[in-house]
């Protein structure tokens, strides 16, 4: 069993009590009654942004930051100019929760990504019900039919869908779906290794119209520049922001680095 397989198994197990407490019909109704989606797309040509992540821990690094007040952290991200904020809601490996998503939603008005291992219709409605504007679908965690079904559902709900790939075949699956937003994860979710060099060749295989997100491995502004140089429109950054001690300034610095790189290619 790969790391990804183990995480998804845990996610499915943890989903059971939530489905019992709030049945599918009720979570659908809550999603339909949620405040309007805050759009991430479309983005202006030549712009660059940071998706700043509220992330307590990870399977590869363990505990990263206590984050006693996720709303305060998200507010710092927003003040730094974050294009969106990602909130981890997976509990076992990342220490997140839907309560974190609720707290962040109440504090900021920027688009929110529910960062989790979404494998069921229930989770998509659940994300919208808790105020998420973007949902993550990981190609490696889904069959072709599941990916298409969940992407269609989230789109019907008005959400942006970050379709995450980390191999050429997964990029091809995202392209076949005509996904407007594609994330290229430089972390292999099966063994957790990170290689920033994975981004450029996979980005080159993406449809020209897709908005590209560079994911994982960012430690400083130089890494953001490398993503932007290779075609990224956004970079998703977690660890460097929650451990660096200056989240607002770091978001602003990383955004500026990405924009400068994009401008240099015009």
């Amino acid at each position: 069993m790969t790391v990804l397989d183990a995480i998804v198994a845990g996610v499915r197990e943890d989903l059971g009590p939530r489905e019992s407490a709030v049945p599918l019909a009720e979570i659908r109704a809550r999603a339909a009654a949620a405040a309007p989606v805050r759009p991430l797309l479309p983005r202006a040509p030549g712009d660059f942004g940071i998706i700043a992540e509220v992330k307590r821990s990870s399977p590869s690094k363990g505990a990263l930051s206590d984050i006693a007040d996720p709303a305060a952290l998200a507010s710092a991200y927003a003040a730094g100019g974050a294009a969106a904020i990602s909130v981890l809601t997976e509990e076992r490996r990342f220490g997140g929760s839907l309560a974190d998503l609720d707290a962040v939603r109440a504090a900021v008005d920027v688009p929110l990504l529910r960062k989790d291992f979404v494998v069921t219709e229930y989770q998509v409605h659940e994300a919208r019900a808790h105020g998420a504007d973007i949902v993550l679908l990981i190609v490696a965690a889904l069959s072709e039919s599941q990916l298409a079904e969940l992407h269609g559902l989230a789109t019907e709900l008005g959400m942006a869908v970050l379709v995450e790939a980390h191999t050429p075949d997964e990029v091809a699956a995202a392209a076949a779906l005509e996904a407007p937003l594609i994330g290229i994860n430089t972390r292999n979710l099966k063994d957790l290794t990170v290689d920033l060099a994975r981004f450029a060749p996979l980005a080159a295989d993406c449809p020209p119209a897709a908005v590209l997100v560079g994911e994982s491995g960012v430690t400083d502004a130089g890494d953001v520049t490398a993503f932007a140089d290779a075609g990224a429109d956004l970079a998703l950054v977690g660890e460097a922001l929650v451990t660096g001690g200056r989240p607002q300034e770091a978001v602003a610095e990383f955004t500026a680095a990405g924009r400068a790189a994009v401008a240099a290619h015009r």
Side-chain angles (χ1 to χ4, degrees):
M1 179 180 286
T2 68
V3 174
L4 178 60
D5 292 336
I7 292 174
V8 170
V11 164
R12 288 186 179 278
E13 185 175 335
D14 292 342
L15 182 58
R18 301 203 304 277
E19 289 178 310
S20 296
V22 183
L24 178 59
E26 175 62 22
I27 205 68
R28 281 176 174 161
R30 293 185 187 183
V37 168
R38 295 155 176 83
L40 176 67
L41 302 175
R43 293 186 59 77
D47 195 11
F48 188 91
I50 296 297
I51 303 176
E53 192 154 82
V54 177
K55 182 177 185 179
R56 288 192 171 88
S57 62
S58 74
S60 60
K61 296 288 185 69
L64 298 172
S65 176
D66 181 49
I67 311 182
D69 190 346
L73 177 59
S75 295
Y77 288 159
I85 295 172
S86 169
V87 183
L88 260 304
T89 60
E90 196 279 336
E91 299 179 23
R92 299 189 182 203
R93 304 294 186 98
F94 293 89
S97 69
L98 287 164
D100 285 348
L101 184 60
D102 292 338
V104 171
R105 177 74 291 161
V108 302
D109 198 39
V110 300
L112 295 189
L113 164 65
R114 181 194 182 177
K115 184 81 173 293
D116 210 321
F117 297 79
V118 173
V119 291
T120 69
E121 173 191 353
Y122 186 95
Q123 291 167 286
V124 176
H125 288 291
E126 188 178 52
R128 184 81 275 272
H130 285 267
D133 310 290
I134 314 159
V135 67
L136 175 70
L137 296 180
I138 301 171
V139 176
L142 299 164
S143 68
E144 182 178 344
S145 60
Q146 287 175 321
L147 178 62
E149 178 184 347
L150 296 178
H151 188 278
L153 172 60
T155 302
E156 288 174 10
L157 293 175
M159 305 175 79
V161 184
L162 177 57
V163 179
E164 180 179 293
H166 76 285
T167 68
D169 286 346
E170 291 172 13
V171 167
L177 196 63
E178 297 183 350
L181 184 65
I182 299 177
I184 295 175
N185 198 343
T186 65
R187 185 185 305 281
N188 183 328
L189 293 179
K190 296 181 179 179
D191 62 15
L192 302 183
T193 59
V194 176
D195 181 1
L196 291 176
R198 288 187 177 118
F199 182 84
L202 294 177
D205 287 340
C206 290
V211 173
L212 301 186
V213 184
E215 302 179 35
S216 297
V218 170
T219 59
D220 55 33
D223 294 331
V224 175
T225 297
F227 274 154
D229 282 341
D233 303 286
L234 297 150
L236 194 156
V237 187
E239 180 181 342
L241 297 179
V242 301
T243 63
R246 41 192 294 275
Q248 179 176 333
E249 295 84 354
V251 168
E253 177 186 339
F254 290 176
T255 300
R259 288 177 176 171
V262 171
H265 288 277
R266 290 179 183 172

